[in-house]
Structure formats: C-alpha cells, structure tokens
Amino acid sequence: MKLLGKLLITGHIEALTGLAIGGSKSDVAIGGIDNNVIKNSEGVPYIPGSSLKGKLRSLIEKRFEREEVCSCGKEDCVICTVFGTGLPTKNKNITAGPTRLYVRDAKLNENTKKQMEKKEGIFSNLELTYTEGKWENQINRLTSKAAHPRQQERVPAGSIFDFNMIYNILTKKDIEYFHQVITALRLLEDDYLGGNGSRGYGRIQFQNVSILLKTVSDYESGGTGKEIFSGLLSDFEDEEAKNKLKSLVEEEEKA
C-alpha cells in the first residue's frame, strides 16, 4: 500500500436535542445529578472520538446487515477497511490494511462555550455552567405510579461542537469506500448520538462540513490541498466528489 493522500473532514456538530454521553460518577454529590456527561480536565463537555466513530461503525454494520461487530479483516470488507478490525496488526489473516478513518474528540465550540459561561442567548437559563439537569421517572404502566426518579445531566439543545476526521487513501478502492463514511454521517443525522435516544436525546446535525484532499505532494511542498466539498451533507454529490477524487489521485500517481 502507498499513501496517496488524506481527506480532512471538518465542521460543526449541532445538538438539536439534549445530548447525553456518559462520564464518571465518582464526583456525584448526595442529592445531585446521578448521570453525568463526560467532560475534559477543565470540566467542559466534549464528544469522544471513540463514541462518534463507534456509532458510525454501528450504523454501517446495520446497513450491511451485520448482527455483531465485524472483525474479518478481509480486503474487500468495507467495515474492516474503513473502521478497523480491533485485531493485532501483525495478524496474517488481516488483508484490509490499517484503519482508514481517524476520528478526533469533538470539542465544544469556543463561541458556544463563551455564551454558556456568560449565560447569553439560548443559554440564558442554563442551570449549570455548560449543562442542564433533566428529571426523569419510570412509570408503572399498570398503576401509572412513578418510581425511581433520577436526574440526567445533558448538554443542551443548540450546543455546537467542532469535529475533525481524517480519511487515509492508500488504494484507489478507498475512494469508493469513502462513500460509506458519508452514508454513515447521513444515517447518524436521523438516528441519535449518546444515550437515551428513544427518549428524544441525541439528535444532531452536521453543519459547515468541509472536505479537503491533501496529497503527498501537498505535504512535501507545504500546499494547502484541494477542496472537495463544502456545505451540508444533503448537498454532497457522491459521484461528482468521487470523480474529482479519482482525477486528483491519478495526478498524484503520475507526479
């Protein structure tokens, strides 16, 4: 395999409904929130890259009707090629090669963070610094009696995170497989991220999506790369982008 280029996928993730990705419960006070969201060392919520990538992989596995995590490692397996196998790379049965998709932690957008800290705009009634608490009950459907009240911490609707993904192109087939990354992102917009999705949590939208191709020549010369796409996922033209990628990769091979 030969590195032909990297696709840099960046943009925003907007939480359209409250977002709950679980964190540590070790700092829960008596009478406080008992289901905390994950936060960094500064106490700011973020979306772990592992959670985002895992959800994307799960949706593609469902798309190909896989009942469990695929780890076949075969070269013609889209799932193992794009998302990895989870098996030791020295395993001789793995022909898919290294994982193509890297997903970074999505940090809370700086403008959103400042608005939350100052309690401005849609965050004017925010209970905590960056999050809100939501009371929930289990209802006995026979007696209509409420039981087990609990308070769930959520990142509020309207919050924006900055996401960053890298997709390595090692063979021409990887250009074909990249379509599945876009498909997974589209599927996620009509699914949910984090917990309690069936209760309305975790609906998101990808905004201001930018896809940039940087070839090996760009890295050697300090070039900024070539734009493949910019906008909403609904406007992404799969065939147009694929043809553009093929053309640029072929130029790289000739160089």
Side-chain angles (χ1 to χ4, degrees):
M1 293 183 178
K2 177 185 176 182
L3 179 64
L4 300 172
K6 290 175 176 282
L7 286 171
L8 312 184
I9 312 153
T10 58
H12 295 147
I13 297 174
E14 181 180 359
L16 301 181
T17 60
L19 181 64
I21 298 179
S24 171
K25 297 184 180 180
S26 61
D27 58 350
V28 177
I30 295 175
I33 291 175
D34 58 2
N35 290 305
N36 296 82
V37 300
I38 192 167
K39 304 179 185 72
N40 63 18
S41 59
E42 298 177 342
V44 181
Y46 70 98
I47 300 174
S50 56
S51 297
L52 183 52
K53 184 176 180 180
K55 184 65 179 187
L56 294 174
R57 180 186 185 120
S58 173
L59 290 168
I60 290 299
E61 284 173 336
K62 290 177 181 177
R63 179 253 184 271
F64 285 105
E65 298 184 60
R66 303 294 172 87
E67 296 182 358
E68 55 187 32
V69 175
C70 181
S71 58
C72 69
K74 295 180 180 178
E75 184 179 358
D76 59 350
C77 175
V78 175
I79 297 169
C80 289
T81 300
V82 174
F83 297 98
T85 63
L87 299 174
T89 54
K90 294 182 180 180
N91 190 317
K92 294 182 180 179
N93 294 323
I94 297 177
T95 57
T99 304
R100 304 303 198 272
L101 183 66
Y102 304 158
V103 182
R104 314 297 190 197
D105 291 345
K107 297 181 179 180
L108 192 65
N109 180 267
E110 194 61 31
N111 288 334
T112 296
K113 183 172 177 287
K114 289 179 180 178
Q115 281 186 308
M116 288 178 165
E117 291 169 346
K118 295 179 180 179
K119 299 293 186 287
E120 294 178 342
I122 60 173
F123 306 115
S124 59
N125 295 319
L126 201 60
E127 302 164 46
L128 305 172
T129 305
Y130 304 108
T131 57
E132 63 184 5
K134 182 177 182 293
W135 281 101
E136 296 185 344
N137 270 317
Q138 287 183 351
I139 305 296
N140 186 311
R141 285 178 287 178
L142 297 178
T143 65
S144 298
K145 184 178 180 180
H148 308 298
R150 60 192 181 277
Q151 194 174 17
Q152 170 74 57
E153 185 181 27
R154 313 191 305 179
V155 179
S159 302
I160 294 177
F161 295 83
D162 300 325
F163 79 88
N164 184 313
M165 303 178 187
I166 310 293
Y167 184 84
N168 293 296
I169 300 176
L170 302 179
T171 69
K172 286 186 177 181
K173 189 176 288 186
D174 292 334
I175 297 173
E176 302 285 341
Y177 287 170
F178 180 65
H179 168 70
Q180 298 305 328
V181 176
I182 301 297
T183 298
L185 294 173
R186 287 171 172 161
L187 285 169
L188 181 51
E189 288 189 325
D190 284 332
D191 206 274
Y192 66 91
L193 184 63
N196 300 329
S198 63
R199 301 176 194 167
Y201 289 39
R203 185 184 172 206
I204 66 165
Q205 183 180 52
F206 293 97
Q207 299 177 344
N208 302 318
V209 179
S210 172
I211 303 176
L212 188 76
L213 173 67
K214 290 185 73 174
T215 63
V216 175
S217 298
D218 289 321
Y219 285 103
E220 290 175 342
S221 64
T224 57
K226 292 88 177 174
E227 185 179 88
I228 301 300
F229 173 77
S230 179
L232 294 173
L233 291 174
S234 57
D235 297 326
F236 184 85
E237 296 290 343
D238 299 276
E239 283 300 318
E240 180 181 332
K242 184 173 69 175
N243 292 334
K244 190 172 184 179
L245 276 173
K246 281 183 177 180
S247 177
L248 291 171
V249 167
E250 286 173 359
E251 288 180 18
E252 176 67 19
E253 288 181 314
K254 295 176 183 178

